[in-house]
Amino acid sequence: MESLSNKKKVLEVKPLNFWEKAYLPAIAKGLSITMKHFWKKPVTIQYPEQKREFSENFRGMHSLKRDEEGRERCTACGLCALSCPAEAITMTAGERQKGEENLYREEKYAAVYEINMLRCIFCGLCEEACPKEAIYLDGDIVPSDYLRKDFIYGKDKLVEPPLNQ
């Protein structure tokens, strides 16, 4: 098949000499680059002992907030789950019973609230969609684990502890 421009580029291949055939200059150049990097300061952070400084807009692990009186802010409206592009948030709404006024702000609350951290892309849309300012991505790095089921965080891991404790 002919090229559209009908321009051909002629390549001239010069023969290799003995040293180039033996690849010795290339090996020496590679070793010199390796030795330069060997004496430089390492850029690796030794994680458990040293912590990396994050920017102000870092999005870490999710946390469900409480109000000033220690009650959960989440009213299970579902806007965070609807705004999540990865569909990582699931919740089940429950109705507040008598005697639970000090636990929940509204009559409706999230009886089950789960976030699949393997699906979450930490985009922050759930944080922006929440009308009650109940969810924030202000935690630390999500810790690693071996089992997939351990990455589904429920209210036990997400709700911040009450202020009076």
Side-chain angles (χ1 to χ4, degrees):
M1 188 164 148
E2 286 187 33
S3 65
L4 294 176
S5 62
N6 288 331
K7 293 182 181 178
K8 293 183 181 178
K9 187 172 187 180
V10 178
L11 297 176
E12 183 178 323
V13 180
K14 62 178 186 171
L16 299 175
N17 62 21
F18 173 75
W19 294 109
E20 290 172 337
K21 286 181 185 177
Y23 295 108
L24 290 178
I27 292 172
K29 186 176 179 183
L31 284 174
S32 68
I33 292 172
T34 302
M35 293 307 289
K36 277 191 229 173
H37 288 286
F38 186 72
W39 300 112
K40 283 186 178 180
K41 182 183 175 208
V43 294
T44 305
I45 293 177
Q46 304 299 324
Y47 170 64
E49 295 84 27
Q50 299 174 351
K51 298 277 184 169
R52 181 181 298 250
E53 290 188 26
F54 297 112
S55 64
E56 292 178 16
N57 57 354
F58 171 73
R59 295 186 189 120
M61 201 165 85
H62 302 71
S63 64
L64 289 172
K65 299 294 181 184
R66 296 182 181 268
D67 64 0
E68 298 80 28
E69 298 174 16
R71 301 177 297 186
E72 290 182 19
R73 289 185 179 189
C74 181
T75 58
C77 65
L79 290 176
C80 58
L82 287 173
S83 68
C84 182
E87 297 178 359
I89 301 174
T90 57
M91 69 175 66
T92 305
E95 196 167 318
R96 183 176 70 186
Q97 305 297 321
K98 288 193 181 224
E100 293 181 337
E101 288 83 13
N102 60 341
L103 297 176
Y104 309 109
R105 289 172 70 172
E106 309 286 333
E107 290 81 25
K108 192 171 94 169
Y109 71 97
V112 176
Y113 192 97
E114 292 180 340
I115 299 178
N116 187 342
M117 290 297 180
L118 295 175
R119 297 193 74 175
C120 179
I121 58 173
F122 298 94
C123 61
L125 292 176
C126 56
E127 188 177 23
E128 293 176 18
C130 184
K132 302 290 182 179
E133 296 180 350
I135 187 166
Y136 282 93
L137 278 73
D138 60 355
D140 203 9
I141 299 173
V142 177
S144 61
D145 211 329
Y146 291 105
L147 301 174
R148 293 181 69 82
K149 66 180 177 74
D150 293 336
F151 286 102
I152 299 174
Y153 287 10
K155 285 177 71 172
D156 56 335
K157 292 184 180 179
L158 296 173
V159 177
E160 67 181 8
L163 297 174
N164 56 8
Q165 285 185 355

